[in-house]
């Protein structure tokens, strides 16, 4: 994909880390790409950060035809910049677009656009601990018709924001109250999609909680108002009597990238995880008898947010003496270590280093070292330039692409019928269309 680049003539300045906040300052440039049924996706371009001009009749304003993503770029100790598992975000955006009836941006093109924009604005990636460059891709319908209809024209945009901690108090535990009136989503709705409507519907409960001294609300399911689903805009994890429990993905819960990463770490650490329904009564019984050892929200923005107090029907329970627990701290240290490049990523332990770095090298050619290239990767890159693709890149590319395709298939099983991904390894049927999955 050829991306035209128009640089700004008025470059801005990266503020000191203690003045960044979260999502209130923006970099010099943005990515835009247009869509129509006749042309498909066209005119991918990086331009100076600017306002958007849309018809007041655009369907995004009236019928919520919009999805978005959130991921980050990190400054490593050696000065290079890297992304954290961005393919998961691009796949999820594809699934969200399908659910909202929006045209799908091919995940490989979306990732290419992210990398290109981050490269252009690389100087905006902060380096202090706890800081990062927040990446916000979003996709919306632009049809200027008031009648209810499908989306035939659209735009895909990416903006960047240098950020500090999501919460002002960083990793300090927060107070959360169970929401008993409003619901975030229902099965069969859009709960598993990352779309603005889910978050807009949660604002009232969130503001009500904030006014009463709470940082977030704990959402219950929308049918029985009985089962725990999410914490604010994040997934939740509990440690009860030594067991790790997280709500199962039922179709109304967002399949979080950080959630998946935590589950992978639990597996690496030999800690069994129960992904299942957990009732609010079971949770508060554990809080009352002292077996609720830790509770936390997990998500891209905050990474890990320990819960220090839970309130339900007027009764509050303190968790772990309102201290950050050892599990939450270990998760935070490990995930941020991977994100900032100070720890290896265990997701690639089953791929030989030479092949992994070959993959990294060839996927960053033309865009700079957005993903780290060291050791064998640099050697291979030099060989590519000196000897040529015929001798080195082609055979290595075939092997590495095959291994990555197999790795991705095992990591993110796709339905052969509707082609939507995000299924667990042991799933037998598609959670979207019910078609039998391939288990080879």
């Amino acid at each position: 994909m050829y991306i035209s680049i128009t640089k700004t003539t008025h470059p801005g300045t990266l503020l000191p880390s203690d003045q960044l906040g979260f999502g209130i300052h923006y970099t010099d440039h943005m990515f835009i790409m247009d869509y129509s049924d006749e042309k498909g996706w066209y005119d991918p371009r990086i331009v100076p950060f600017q306002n958007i001009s849309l018809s007041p009749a655009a369907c995004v304003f009236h019928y919520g035809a919009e999805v978005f993503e959130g991921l980050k770029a990190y400054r490593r100790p050696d000065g290079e910049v890297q992304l954290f598992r961005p393919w998961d975000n691009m796949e999820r955006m594809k699934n969200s677009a399908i659910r909202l009836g929006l045209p799908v941006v091919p995940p490989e093109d979306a990732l290419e656009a992210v990398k290109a924009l981050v490269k252009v604005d690389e100087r905006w990636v902060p380096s202090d601990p706890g800081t990062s460059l927040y990446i916000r891709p979003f996709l919306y319908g632009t049809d200027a018709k008031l009648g209810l209809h499908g989306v035939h024209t659209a735009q895909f945009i990416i903006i960047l924001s240098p950020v500090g901690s999501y919460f002002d108090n960083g990793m300090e535990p927060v107070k959360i109250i169970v929401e008993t009136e409003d619901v975030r989503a229902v099965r069969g709705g859009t709960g598993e999609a990352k779309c603005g409507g889910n978050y807009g519907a949660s604002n009232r409960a969130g503001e009500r909680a904030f006014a009463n001294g709470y940082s977030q609300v704990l959402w219950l399911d929308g049918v029985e108002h009985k089962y725990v689903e999410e914490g604010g805009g994040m997934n939740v994890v509990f440690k009860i009597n030594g067991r790790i429990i997280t709500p199962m993905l039922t179709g109304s819960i967002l399949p979080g990238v950080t959630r998946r990463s935590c589950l992978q770490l639990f597996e690496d650490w030999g800690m069994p995880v129960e992904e299942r329904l957990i009732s609010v009564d079971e949770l508060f019984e554990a809080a009352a008898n002292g077996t609720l050892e830790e509770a936390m929200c997990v998500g891209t923005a905050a990474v890990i947010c320990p819960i220090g107090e839970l309130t339900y029907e007027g009764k509050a329970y303190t968790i772990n003496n309102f201290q950050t627990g050892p599990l939450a701290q270990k998760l935070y240290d490990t995930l941020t270590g991977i994100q900032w490049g100070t720890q290896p990523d265990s997701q690639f332990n089953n791929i030989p280093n030479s092949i992994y770095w070959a993959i990294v090298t060839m996927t960053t050619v033309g865009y700079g070292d957005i993903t780290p290239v060291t050791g064998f990767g640099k050697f291979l890159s030099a060989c590519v330039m000196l000897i040529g693709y015929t001798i080195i890149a082609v055979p290595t590319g075939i092997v590495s692409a095959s291994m990555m395709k197999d790795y991705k298939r095992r990591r993110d099983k796709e339905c052969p019928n509707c082609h939507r991904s995000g299924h667990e390894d042991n799933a037998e049927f598609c959670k979207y269309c019910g078609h039998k999955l391939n288990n080879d």
Side-chain angles (χ1 to χ4, degrees):
M1 179 174 67
Y2 172 74
I3 302 174
S4 66
I5 300 176
T6 303
K7 293 285 190 74
T8 183
T9 56
H10 300 88
T13 302
L14 177 63
L15 292 174
S17 296
D18 59 357
Q19 298 178 30
L20 290 178
F22 193 94
I24 54 178
H25 304 288
Y26 302 96
T27 66
D28 290 329
H29 302 91
M30 61 195 291
F31 173 88
I32 306 176
M33 184 164 63
D34 299 300
Y35 173 88
S36 71
D37 284 348
E38 296 77 20
K39 295 182 180 180
W41 288 105
Y42 67 96
D43 194 17
R45 58 202 184 273
I46 292 175
V47 297
F49 187 89
Q50 58 194 261
N51 291 335
I52 300 169
S53 178
L54 287 176
S55 166
C59 60
V60 63
F61 298 133
H62 304 276
Y63 304 115
E66 176 268 353
V67 299
F68 67 97
E69 268 302 327
L71 62 158
K72 292 178 179 179
Y74 304 86
R75 181 77 65 183
R76 293 165 47 201
D78 62 4
E80 297 296 326
V81 173
Q82 69 178 22
L83 304 174
F84 178 70
R85 301 175 183 175
W87 48 83
D88 285 339
N89 296 90
M90 302 305 104
E91 283 291 325
R92 187 172 63 184
M93 188 170 67
K94 178 192 78 172
N95 292 335
S96 296
I98 291 171
R99 179 61 187 87
L100 271 288
L102 287 161
V104 171
V105 180
E108 60 273 17
D109 290 345
L111 181 54
E112 185 177 343
V114 166
K115 292 167 62 178
L117 182 61
V118 171
K119 182 60 180 176
V120 169
D121 278 345
E122 184 176 351
R123 71 181 184 85
W124 285 87
V125 183
S127 58
D128 287 345
T131 63
S132 56
L133 184 70
Y134 188 78
I135 304 167
R136 171 52 61 87
F138 56 105
L139 162 63
Y140 56 91
T142 58
D143 298 63
K145 298 177 182 178
L146 293 180
L148 185 60
H149 53 79
V151 175
H152 305 290
T153 62
Q155 273 194 327
F156 174 54
I157 294 179
I158 307 170
I159 57 176
L160 308 174
S161 174
V163 298
S165 296
Y166 185 75
F167 293 112
D168 293 337
N169 59 356
M171 262 282 284
E172 291 181 18
V174 298
K175 296 181 179 181
I176 287 185
I177 186 171
V178 175
E179 175 55 40
T180 56
E181 296 180 23
D182 295 348
V183 298
R184 175 188 170 273
V186 296
R187 298 178 194 177
T190 59
E192 63 188 1
K194 198 168 181 67
C195 61
N198 293 339
Y199 297 83
S202 70
N203 281 341
R204 182 174 71 169
E207 287 298 312
R208 193 162 53 216
F210 187 76
N212 286 286
Y214 300 96
S215 298
Q216 298 275 6
V217 299
L218 190 66
W219 292 108
L220 303 181
D221 74 282
V223 178
E224 299 182 67
H225 296 256
K226 175 181 179 181
Y227 296 105
V228 175
E229 293 208 328
E230 293 191 15
M234 296 181 280
N235 297 117
V236 288
V237 175
F238 306 104
K239 185 180 180 185
I240 300 176
N241 200 25
R243 297 172 295 138
I244 308 299
I245 303 174
T246 190
M248 64 186 293
L249 301 179
T250 58
S252 56
I253 297 175
L254 186 71
V257 175
T258 305
R259 174 187 183 274
R260 173 184 284 175
S261 300
C262 289
L263 296 184
Q264 178 64 51
L265 288 175
F266 292 141
E267 181 180 335
D268 294 344
W269 297 338
M271 302 177 69
V273 178
E274 298 178 20
E275 293 182 73
R276 61 173 176 84
L277 298 177
I278 176 170
S279 70
V280 66
D281 290 336
E282 178 187 353
L283 179 63
F284 277 84
E285 180 182 349
N289 64 30
T291 57
L292 177 57
E293 301 170 37
E294 291 190 52
M296 66 201 77
C297 298
V298 301
T300 296
V303 188
I304 305 295
C305 176
I307 301 172
E309 182 180 289
L310 276 172
T311 298
Y312 178 49
E313 295 183 337
K315 191 163 186 179
Y317 294 89
T318 300
I319 303 169
N320 194 41
N321 297 317
F322 213 89
Q323 300 293 318
T324 298
L327 180 62
Q329 190 66 57
K330 185 177 181 181
L331 280 171
Y332 179 83
D333 292 343
T334 304
L335 284 172
T336 55
I338 294 170
Q339 291 165 347
W340 273 280
T342 59
Q343 293 193 36
D345 190 342
S346 64
Q347 269 205 5
F348 294 100
N349 283 349
N350 61 334
I351 299 178
N353 286 338
S354 58
I355 298 298
Y356 169 62
W357 289 118
I359 295 168
V360 168
T361 300
M362 286 185 288
T363 56
T364 56
V365 168
Y367 297 96
D369 295 338
I370 297 298
T371 313
V373 179
T374 59
F376 187 87
K378 287 186 176 179
F379 171 74
L380 179 62
S381 182
C383 288
V384 169
M385 291 185 288
L386 294 173
I387 305 176
Y389 281 97
T390 305
I391 299 175
I392 297 295
V394 172
T396 306
I398 292 172
V399 174
S400 61
S402 175
M403 290 189 67
M404 183 57 88
K405 183 177 180 180
D406 178 67
Y407 162 73
K408 185 178 183 302
R409 177 188 63 79
R410 290 182 284 105
R411 176 187 58 80
D412 201 0
K413 187 182 298 182
E414 183 176 281
C415 174
N417 179 52
C418 69
H419 304 292
R420 298 176 74 180
S421 55
H423 300 90
E424 301 301 326
D425 286 341
N426 60 353
E428 295 185 16
F429 297 95
C430 177
K431 65 183 181 181
Y432 308 106
C433 70
H435 192 277
K436 186 172 178 60
L437 298 174
N438 295 328
N439 287 304
D440 54 344

